[in-house]
């Protein structure tokens, strides 16, 4: 694939000419929410193409979204639908990318649709990293298709990017440019919590600098605590740093949330924010801050800036407050609690603690290491030996 810098240059040209196309792969709940959010931008420069297996099913979702948006008076978006795109068939994905020439590709597909993996893993092994082979299974196929198509698109991944993007990069494969969700779901909670503690109503003006891996997105959101791991966090308001007790901030982040697919409103919002941040950075020349898991193949999540440096559009980890080493140390500690000891040389390495927990909870023995070539086999093992039996117990 072309470098991100080269592809951003193409994106910049298309935005300036008023012609930006987003390809959404899969219209499950994440893809459908994202479709609705993008339509609601009422941006006539924006067009969307939804691709996946079942064209009729996707068209039905597109119809309700665009009619509803037009009722609200916000739909200025042209939408196409293409079926017959099978993520197990890289050639069909490649053909779709070549045909539509998107500026953004959002992979919202899941290897096991309709299931929140955390509903199985959190109560039993208290770690999400066990699902890494499932998270990467279709992503690697999409990236192989992007590479084969030599796409100019900026690619966004929606599933466990904290480990998936590093896994692809360490294997020498093409990898997504941005990951959505995870860390980005926690930052707004922190903004609300800090605003309450400061006694201010304009919570949107609370500025957060923060880095953490996926474990803490879940642990802080569910339990309001960090399991004793120190995390890099600073709060600013009115241009000044505010000294607030981190333990209290995190405790206030524990707020009730739905456990069904409506939770995917957050993931879809993360995708939308990445797209709109790049568009806004180009249109306004104002640097935008994002919170991105797996950025540039680094394990865990980081604050990332998109904008112009020396008149060149780019994206880079924001080290204005915390050094990369400080953030990376915290991220690796967080990912270890999530069951991922490391990702290197194309291999994901589970922690011994996760292997022991999985044996006790599910009666299965996970491999210590999952090589890139063993991803599909391991994903199938996890489905057959963990997911299917656990769902059967709940039935």
């Amino acid at each position: 694939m072309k470098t991100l810098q080269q592809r951003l240059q193409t994106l910049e040209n298309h935005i300036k000419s008023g012609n930006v196309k987003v390809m959404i792969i899969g219209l499950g709940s994440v893809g459908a929410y994202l479709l609705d959010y993008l339509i609601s931008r009422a941006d006539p420069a924006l067009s969307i193409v939804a691709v996946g297996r079942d064209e009729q099913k996707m068209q039905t979702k597109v119809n309700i979204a665009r009619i509803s948006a037009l009722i609200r008076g916000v739909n200025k978006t042209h939408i196409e639908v293409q079926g017959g795109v099978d993520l197990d068939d890289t050639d069909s994905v490649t053909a779709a990318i070549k045909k539509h020439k998107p500026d953004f590709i959002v992979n919202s597909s899941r290897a096991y649709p309709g299931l929140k993996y955390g509903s199985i893993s959190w109560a039993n092994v208290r770690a999400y990293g066990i699902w890494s082979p499932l998270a990467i299974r279709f992503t690697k196929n999409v990236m192989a298709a992007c590479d084969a198509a030599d796409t100019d698109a900026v690619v966004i991944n929606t599933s466990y990017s904290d480990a998936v993007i590093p896994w692809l990069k360490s294997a020498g494969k093409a990898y997504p440019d941005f990951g959505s969700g995870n860390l980005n779901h926690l930052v707004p909670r922190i903004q609300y919590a800090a605003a309450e503690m400061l006694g201010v109503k304009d919570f949107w003006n609370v500025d957060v600098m923060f880095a953490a891996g996926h474990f803490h997105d879940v642990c802080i959101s569910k339990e309001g605590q960090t399991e004793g791991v120190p995390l890099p966090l600073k709060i600013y308001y009115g241009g000044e740093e505010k000294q607030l007790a981190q333990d209290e901030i995190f405790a206030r982040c524990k707020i009730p949330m739905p456990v069904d697919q409506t939770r995917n409103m957050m993931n879809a919002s993360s995708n939308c924010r990445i797209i709109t941040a790049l568009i806004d950075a180009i249109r306004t020349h104002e640097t935008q801050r994002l919170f991105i898991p797996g950025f540039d193949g680094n394990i865990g999540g980081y604050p990332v800036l998109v904008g112009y440096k020396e008149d060149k559009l780019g994206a880079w980890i924001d080290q204005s407050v915390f050094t990369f080493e400080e953030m990376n140390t915290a991220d690796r500690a967080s990912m270890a609690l999530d069951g991922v000891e490391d990702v290197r040389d194309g291999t994901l390495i589970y922690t011994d603690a996760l292997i022991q927990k999985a044996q006790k909870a599910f009666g299965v023995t996970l491999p210590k290491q999952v090589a890139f070539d063993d991803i599909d086999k391991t994903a199938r093992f996890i489905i057959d030996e963990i997911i299917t039996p656990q769902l059967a117990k709940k039935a």
Side-chain angles (χ1 to χ4, degrees):
M1 281 177 63
K2 300 179 181 72
T3 66
L4 176 58
Q5 187 74 53
Q6 291 171 319
R7 288 177 284 121
L8 287 174
Q9 180 63 62
T10 300
L11 174 64
E12 181 180 35
N13 294 337
H14 288 181
I15 288 173
K16 288 180 177 179
S17 65
N19 184 20
V20 183
K21 180 177 287 188
V22 178
M23 174 181 282
I24 303 175
I25 301 179
L27 275 188
S29 56
V30 172
Y33 281 128
L34 176 59
L35 175 73
D36 187 43
Y37 299 158
L38 291 174
I39 292 173
S40 295
R41 290 275 296 179
D43 188 342
L46 200 63
S47 63
I48 300 170
V49 56
V51 303
R53 290 183 182 178
D54 191 333
E55 183 167 342
Q56 184 175 0
K57 187 176 181 180
M58 289 189 296
Q59 187 66 62
T60 299
K61 291 186 176 182
V62 166
N63 290 343
I64 189 67
R66 64 183 180 183
I67 294 298
S68 298
L70 200 53
I71 292 171
R72 302 193 304 273
V74 295
N75 188 0
K76 298 179 181 179
T77 304
H78 293 280
I79 307 170
E80 298 177 74
V81 175
Q82 181 183 336
V85 178
D86 183 351
L87 293 185
D88 280 320
D89 177 11
T90 302
D91 289 343
S92 71
V93 183
T94 302
I97 294 171
K98 287 183 176 180
K99 175 183 177 181
H100 296 287
K101 297 179 174 58
D103 295 291
F104 292 96
I105 296 174
V106 181
N107 172 31
S108 68
S109 61
R110 291 173 63 84
Y112 199 100
L115 172 69
K116 295 298 293 181
Y117 301 145
S119 65
I120 294 175
S121 62
W122 190 253
N124 290 293
V125 298
R126 200 175 170 75
Y128 195 95
I130 188 173
W131 312 115
S132 301
L134 288 177
I136 197 174
R137 184 183 171 208
F138 284 159
T139 304
K140 67 180 177 59
N141 295 350
V142 169
M143 293 314 304
C146 287
D147 203 17
D150 195 23
T151 182
D152 287 316
V154 173
V155 186
I156 303 170
N157 182 61
T158 64
S159 183
Y160 206 54
S161 296
D162 301 72
V164 164
I165 297 178
W167 200 348
L168 284 160
K169 185 176 182 179
S170 73
K173 307 294 185 181
Y175 55 92
D177 303 296
F178 297 92
S180 69
N182 301 4
L183 173 68
N184 201 29
H185 295 171
L186 183 54
V187 170
R189 293 172 183 255
I190 294 173
Q191 287 179 287
Y192 278 120
E196 290 173 356
M197 293 169 68
L198 291 169
V200 300
K201 294 183 178 181
D202 56 335
F203 48 83
W204 55 90
N205 286 324
V206 173
D207 196 15
V208 175
M209 285 299 292
F210 184 56
H214 182 270
F215 177 85
H216 284 100
D217 168 42
V218 179
C219 186
I220 294 171
S221 298
K222 285 181 174 291
E223 301 173 4
Q225 55 94 17
T226 68
E227 208 80 343
V229 175
L231 298 174
L233 170 66
K234 288 192 176 182
I235 304 295
Y236 301 85
Y237 180 75
E240 298 179 355
E241 182 181 352
K242 300 298 179 180
Q243 301 299 325
L244 301 176
Q246 288 195 15
D247 288 348
E248 185 176 350
I249 291 174
F250 292 137
R252 289 171 181 255
C253 288
K254 180 186 175 183
I255 58 177
M257 298 287 278
V259 296
D260 61 15
Q261 290 187 358
T262 56
R263 283 183 59 87
N264 286 331
M265 292 173 68
M266 295 188 298
N267 200 329
S269 296
S270 295
N271 286 286
C272 187
R273 172 60 182 149
I274 294 167
I275 294 168
T276 57
L278 279 163
I279 293 174
D280 290 347
I282 292 167
R283 285 176 172 169
T284 68
H285 269 245
E286 294 180 0
T287 300
Q288 308 287 314
R289 180 182 294 123
L290 303 166
F291 290 89
I292 302 294
F295 181 75
D296 198 28
N298 293 296
I299 194 168
Y302 301 83
V304 172
L305 298 176
V306 295
Y308 289 87
K309 271 187 177 182
E310 299 176 353
D311 292 326
K312 290 185 178 179
L313 180 65
W316 60 95
I317 292 176
D318 185 354
Q319 299 184 60
S320 62
V321 175
F322 300 109
T323 66
F324 174 80
E325 289 72 21
E326 288 176 300
M327 294 185 284
N328 185 254
T329 297
D331 277 316
R332 287 183 173 275
S334 183
M335 295 304 294
L337 287 173
D338 222 27
V340 178
E341 180 178 303
D342 204 358
V343 181
R344 62 174 182 263
D345 302 324
T347 299
L348 180 129
I349 304 169
Y350 286 128
T351 61
D352 292 338
L354 176 62
I355 293 171
Q356 293 168 5
K357 290 177 182 177
Q359 178 65 50
K360 181 178 180 180
F362 307 125
V364 300
T365 302
L366 294 171
K368 175 65 177 176
Q369 301 184 1
V370 183
F372 192 83
D373 290 342
D374 292 333
I375 287 171
D376 288 343
K377 179 179 70 176
T378 307
R380 175 46 57 189
F381 171 82
I382 290 171
I383 291 172
D384 291 344
E385 301 299 326
I386 297 179
I387 291 179
T388 301
Q390 290 299 310
L391 292 181
K393 286 181 181 180
K394 293 181 178 182

